[in-house]
Amino acid sequence: MPEPPLNKDGSLGFAAKMGTQLRHEHSNQVQDNVTTEDIIFKSVNEVGLFLYFGGTNSWLELIDQDGRSIDDWSKI
């Protein structure tokens, strides 16, 4: 998502602020909304904030080439 969604009053929500901060911290690794080198995050949730400014469950959204989510891979 290129721009964070705004609250009804036009302000940034908490998740959008966190996603914006992550994008700022890694701005040298992104050009035109495309990563130019690997970025390592601390959690799946940080990936969701970075990509979507929150608002999604990355455990279910991020899927490998076989159609399995991170949630699928985490279950025994």
Side-chain angles (χ1 to χ4, degrees):
M1 181 177 292
E3 297 295 326
L6 301 177
N7 291 331
K8 289 181 182 181
D9 66 0
S11 65
L12 285 176
F14 180 76
K17 287 178 187 176
M18 295 300 296
T20 300
Q21 178 64 33
L22 286 169
R23 288 184 180 205
H24 176 72
E25 290 173 5
H26 298 284
S27 61
N28 60 333
Q29 297 162 296
V30 178
Q31 184 176 6
D32 298 323
N33 291 316
V34 176
T35 56
T36 57
E37 58 186 88
D38 290 345
I39 300 173
I40 298 173
F41 291 104
K42 297 176 187 173
S43 70
V44 174
N45 295 332
E46 280 192 356
V47 175
L49 289 169
F50 180 79
L51 293 175
Y52 307 111
F53 298 100
T56 187
N57 184 342
S58 296
W59 286 85
L60 301 174
E61 191 75 27
L62 301 174
I63 299 173
D64 68 11
Q65 65 273 10
D66 296 323
R68 293 187 69 192
S69 68
I70 294 172
D71 182 62
D72 291 336
W73 282 103
S74 68
K75 295 177 182 172
I76 297 175

